[in-house]
Amino acid sequence: MSEAPSPLELWREAGVLSPLDVSFAHTLCRLAGVDHPEILLGVAIASRAPSQGHVRAELGTLKETVRVEPKPGEELPPELPWPEDLAAWVGRLQESGLCAAGDGGPPRPLILRGDHLYLDRFWGYERRLAAQIQRRLRVALKGIDVARLREGLDRLFPPGEDDPHQRLAATMSVMRPFAVISGGPGTGKTTTIVKILALLIEQAFAKGVREPRVVLTAHTGKAAARMAEAVREARGAMAVLSEEARRALPTQAMTIHRLLGFQPRTPSRFFHDAENPLPVDAVVVDEASMIDLPLMAKLFDAIPHNARLILLGDRDQLASVEAGAVFGDLYAEEGVDDGFSQPFSATLRAALGDEVSLPEGVCGARVEGGIWDATIHLQRSYRFGPNSGIRALSEAIKAQAADEALSILHSPAWPDVILEPVQDANALEALLRARLKRRFLSLVDAASPAQALAQMSELGLLCVHRRGVLGALWLNREIERWLVQDASLSIGARWYPGRPILITRNDQAMRLYNGDVGVIKKSEAGRLEIFFAGEAEPRGVPPARLPPHETVFALTVHKSQGSEYDEVLLILPPRVSPILTRELLYTAVTRARKAVRILGSEEVLRAGIAQRVRRASGVNAELWGAASDR
C-alpha cells in the first residue's frame, strides 16, 4: 500500500511549487533539524516567490493570491492543505532557527517580518535599494544657476506651447539628484530627456565643466539602441538647443550590464559597484519598468551620490520578468495623493518664476519631502490624437473597463483597433499564413540589411505565452512549417535569408545583448550573416559567433518591451490564463504606432482586463508608508 503524498508534494503536484522549491525546503530543514510540514511549506513558499516575480512571500494573503489550475481532464483545481492558523504558522517559522528578523542579528537564510517571508538575499537587495533611494532624496544640490536654468526653460519649453508636466519634469531633474519620469506612449519622454540633458550640460558649463560625463542606458540592447536613435533624432530636430549643448549631448546608449561591467565568471557581480563607482555626472535609464530588484540595487550602488540619476518608463507597463516591480513601487498606489511637498513646491516656483503657474494637483499638502518630490507622470500624448483607437483602447484597459474596451474594438468609429475571434490553431493559420509569407518574402527581397531591419518594425506578432499552443515557440515553429510547405520557398537549413533572430544571452565580446534583434541576409561578399543595428550601419555577425538565440517571427509581449511596430497582432491564448493581465494587454497595445488587431475571444480578453499584476514587495511601503500622515 503506497503512502499518501506529503503536503509539500501536493503543492508541487498542483503546480504551485517547483521541484527546486521542494528540494530547497527539504535540504534547509534537514540542516536545521526541523521537519514540521508548515515550516517546510514556508521555506518552499519563500523559494517560490522570486520565480513568480515577488520579492517576498506574503503568508497572510497566499490563499487569495495563489492560482491553482485544474489538472488536465478535471474541472476543479485540487484542494491544497493550507495552514489553518496564520499566527501559529508564523510562530513555528520564528522558532525554527531558520528565520531572522532583519534587525542586524545573527544571519539566517530567511527573514521574517510579520507575515512577510523573504529569502535573505532578496531582503538585502530591498534594504540596500530603499536606503540608496532615501539617501539620494536627502542630498541637497548646491551651485545651481537659477537664472540660467530659467532662461533655458523658457527657450526649451516656451510658455503656452509646451506640456506643463514636461517643464516640471525638467525643473525637477535639474533641482534634484534623483528623478523618476513616467509617461505612456507618445508623451514625449525622449524629447523631454534631451531638453533635460541640455539644461544639465548648460549648468555644468556655468561651473566651468566643459565635458560633463553623461550616460544613456537601458535594460536590453534593443531598448538601448532605440533610445540612442530617438535621442539623435530629437537632438537634430531641436533648433532651440545651444550649439555647445548639442555637441555635448550623448549619441550612444548601452545596456546596464555593459555599463556596470558584466563579468561572465562572476555573473552576480559587476566591475562597478559601491566600492568602485562609475565615473559619471549623470545617468539616464530608459525602460526602467523592465529592471528587476537585484539589478536596480546594483545600478544604484554603482552611481556616485553626487551624480544625477534619472529613471524613465511607463508605470502602467508590465513589471520586470524577474523579481520586483521597482519602477511601479516608486509611485503612489491608487488613492494616495502624489503631489509635491510644500517645501519643494516653493523651490519649483522660485526656479520657474511667478509668471509660470503649476498645474492643478501638483502641489500636495505634505509638509515634508519624500519620494513624491522626485516623481512625475507625463500626461499629454503627442502620438495619438483624440480620434485614436489605440489611445482609447489603452486607456480603457488601464482603467479595467472591459465593456468599454470591447465596445471600442467592435465600433467602426475606431478602425485602427479590431478584435477578431480566433478559437484554435486552424483559425489562426487561416488568418496569418498568407500575410506572414508576404512579410518573410519582403525580408528576403530587401535591398539591404538596413532595409530589412527597418521592415521588421512594421509588424509585431505578439503572444501571451511562450510555450503551449498559440505560444511564441509553437507559433515560430508553425510559421517555419508554413514557409517550408510553400512551393515558392526553400528553407532547408538552419540558416536562411530572412530569418529573424533574437539574442537571449549577453555576449560582451561580440557586443550582443539579451533582447537584440537581427535578421539573416547575404553580405557583400555573398556570405550569410546576421545583421544587427549598428552605430552608423548594420553590422554583420557570422552564424558561428552568435551567442544563444532563437527565431523570432513571433515573440512574447514581455520580450517586446522596448520595441515599437506600425501594427501589432496580439494572439490571445485559447483559455483564460493567469499570465494575461491588464498590464500585459496595455503593454501589447501600446507597442503599436498605427494599428492593433487582437486575435482571440471576448471571454479571454475580458478576463485579462480584470486581472492585475500584483508583486509582493516592501519598497513601496518603505517609501510611501507614511504618506498619508504627511
Side-chain angles (χ1 to χ4, degrees):
M1 182 176 178
S2 61
E3 294 184 3
S6 69
L8 211 59
E9 285 300 313
L10 292 175
W11 283 69
R12 185 190 64 77
E13 291 174 3
V16 176
L17 299 175
S18 71
L20 179 62
D21 299 328
V22 174
S23 177
F24 177 77
H26 279 298
T27 300
L28 210 58
C29 288
R30 184 176 66 252
L31 291 173
V34 294
D35 62 356
H36 193 284
E38 289 190 0
I39 298 175
L40 279 163
L41 177 60
V43 176
I45 288 292
S47 171
R48 167 191 180 270
S51 68
Q52 300 297 309
H54 304 292
V55 175
R56 65 191 185 191
E58 298 184 347
L59 304 181
T61 61
L62 278 177
K63 195 167 185 177
E64 292 75 38
T65 56
V66 169
R67 299 181 184 277
V68 184
E69 298 294 317
K71 294 181 179 180
E74 297 182 0
E75 294 186 2
L76 297 175
E79 286 288 335
L80 295 179
W82 296 94
E84 296 182 0
D85 188 331
L86 175 62
W89 188 15
V90 170
R92 290 190 181 96
L93 287 167
Q94 288 172 331
E95 296 167 1
S96 68
L98 292 169
C99 301
D103 54 5
R108 296 285 187 273
L110 303 176
I111 301 294
L112 184 62
R113 306 279 291 182
D115 64 352
H116 299 158
L117 187 62
Y118 295 79
L119 295 180
D120 176 73
R121 182 163 64 96
F122 284 89
W123 165 258
Y125 285 135
E126 186 175 280
R127 293 303 91 196
R128 274 166 53 191
L129 180 61
Q132 285 276 19
I133 292 173
Q134 296 283 20
R135 182 174 178 180
R136 289 181 186 277
L137 292 173
R138 292 192 296 267
V139 171
L141 294 176
K142 298 178 180 179
I144 295 174
D145 189 332
V146 176
R148 186 156 189 164
L149 171 60
R150 189 179 300 177
E151 182 279 326
L153 288 169
D154 289 341
R155 174 166 34 88
L156 297 170
F157 301 92
E161 298 180 17
D162 66 298
D163 178 358
H165 287 86
Q166 289 186 4
R167 174 184 278 250
L168 276 177
T171 311
M172 178 183 75
S173 300
V174 174
M175 304 298 292
R176 302 195 63 87
F178 174 54
V180 188
I181 303 171
S182 171
T187 51
K189 294 192 294 293
T190 301
T191 301
T192 302
I193 204 62
V194 169
K195 294 179 179 180
I196 289 171
L197 292 178
L199 292 170
L200 292 176
I201 289 167
E202 290 171 359
Q203 288 288 316
F205 289 166
K207 297 177 182 177
V209 179
R210 306 312 301 174
E211 295 184 2
R213 300 161 299 180
V214 179
V215 175
L216 306 178
T217 188
H219 187 36
T220 65
K222 178 172 55 177
R226 194 167 70 85
M227 181 189 193
E229 180 184 3
V231 168
R232 288 193 297 268
E233 290 177 355
R235 183 188 68 162
M238 287 185 196
V240 292
L241 290 179
S242 64
E243 277 307 311
E244 56 182 9
R246 191 187 304 277
R247 287 193 297 269
L249 280 170
T251 59
Q252 301 300 323
M254 66 182 76
T255 64
I256 296 172
H257 283 78
R258 183 181 173 191
L259 173 67
L260 298 183
F262 177 73
Q263 302 183 81
R265 293 185 180 180
T266 55
S268 64
R269 300 185 64 183
F270 292 97
F271 179 74
H272 290 289
D273 55 19
E275 301 300 320
N276 181 32
L278 288 158
V280 294
D281 296 307
V283 175
V284 178
V285 186
D286 198 14
E287 298 290 351
S289 63
M290 300 171 67
I291 305 174
D292 56 74
L293 172 65
L295 184 58
M296 189 72 87
K298 294 169 186 177
L299 176 65
F300 270 73
D301 284 345
I303 298 175
H305 292 107
N306 60 349
R308 281 180 172 81
L309 173 59
I310 303 173
L311 304 182
L312 296 177
D314 185 346
R315 65 185 184 185
D316 297 306
Q317 266 191 210
L318 277 170
S320 60
V321 176
E322 306 298 332
V326 178
F327 192 79
D329 282 341
L330 297 177
Y331 283 87
E333 295 185 349
E334 292 180 10
V336 178
D337 178 25
D338 58 353
F340 298 134
S341 68
Q342 294 172 8
F344 190 57
S345 297
T347 300
L348 287 173
R349 286 195 178 96
L352 291 168
D354 295 335
E355 65 277 10
V356 177
S357 60
L358 298 178
E360 184 178 352
V362 164
C363 299
R366 300 187 187 91
V367 297
E368 294 184 18
I371 186 64
W372 39 86
D373 287 338
T375 59
I376 195 165
H377 185 65
L378 305 182
Q379 300 177 17
R380 181 186 298 175
S381 176
Y382 295 89
R383 180 185 303 170
F384 305 121
N387 297 322
S388 166
I390 297 175
R391 179 179 182 177
L393 179 60
S394 64
E395 291 295 329
I397 291 171
K398 193 163 62 174
Q400 294 189 280
D403 289 340
E404 182 182 351
L406 288 167
S407 176
I408 291 167
L409 287 163
H410 290 310
S411 171
W414 312 101
D416 55 333
V417 290
I418 298 171
L419 175 66
E420 293 198 31
V422 172
Q423 300 293 344
D424 55 32
N426 292 331
L428 185 66
E429 180 177 350
L431 275 171
L432 294 182
R433 183 164 181 164
R435 180 167 186 177
L436 292 173
K437 172 191 169 183
R438 290 194 300 272
R439 184 195 182 204
F440 173 74
L441 287 174
S442 73
L443 294 176
V444 173
D445 296 336
S448 66
Q451 185 182 40
L453 288 170
Q455 288 173 351
M456 288 177 64
S457 69
E458 293 176 358
L459 176 69
L461 186 57
L462 308 184
C463 302
V464 173
H465 291 155
R466 176 173 169 78
R467 295 179 173 83
V469 176
L470 306 190
L473 293 177
W474 174 88
L475 186 54
N476 279 309
R477 289 193 297 268
E478 287 297 292
I479 292 170
E480 286 194 318
R481 181 176 65 83
W482 301 342
L483 297 175
V484 169
Q485 288 177 350
D486 193 301
S488 65
L489 303 177
S490 177
I491 302 178
R494 180 183 178 190
W495 308 106
Y496 53 86
R499 179 188 172 198
I501 296 290
L502 176 76
I503 300 300
T504 58
R505 187 181 301 170
N506 297 328
D507 188 324
Q508 183 76 22
M510 293 303 299
R511 292 182 294 124
L512 291 172
Y513 302 93
N514 182 25
D516 285 354
V517 175
V519 63
I520 299 179
K521 295 286 290 181
K522 283 189 177 181
S523 66
E524 293 182 357
R527 294 188 296 267
L528 286 179
E529 293 187 352
I530 302 91
F531 286 88
F532 297 88
E535 294 182 1
E537 296 293 329
R539 63 184 184 97
V541 177
R545 302 292 305 278
L546 211 60
H549 58 277
E550 59 190 34
T551 302
V552 68
F553 288 107
L555 72 166
T556 62
V557 176
H558 276 93
K559 289 284 188 181
S560 76
Q561 292 187 88
S563 299
E564 290 181 356
Y565 307 94
D566 289 341
E567 181 182 8
V568 162
L569 298 182
L570 174 62
I571 300 171
L572 301 182
R575 293 179 297 278
V576 174
S577 165
I579 294 176
L580 184 63
T581 62
R582 178 194 78 163
E583 290 80 4
L584 185 141
L585 288 165
Y586 173 85
T587 300
V589 168
T590 55
R591 297 310 89 207
R593 290 185 285 251
K594 298 178 181 178
V596 173
R597 178 175 295 187
I598 299 177
L599 310 180
S601 71
E602 285 192 11
E603 176 191 5
V604 171
L605 179 61
R606 185 182 291 277
I609 293 173
Q611 293 187 123
R612 292 190 61 183
V613 172
R614 296 191 182 277
R615 294 281 177 91
S617 162
V619 174
N620 185 271
E622 182 75 18
L623 299 175
W624 286 90
S628 59
D629 301 327
R630 297 186 176 180

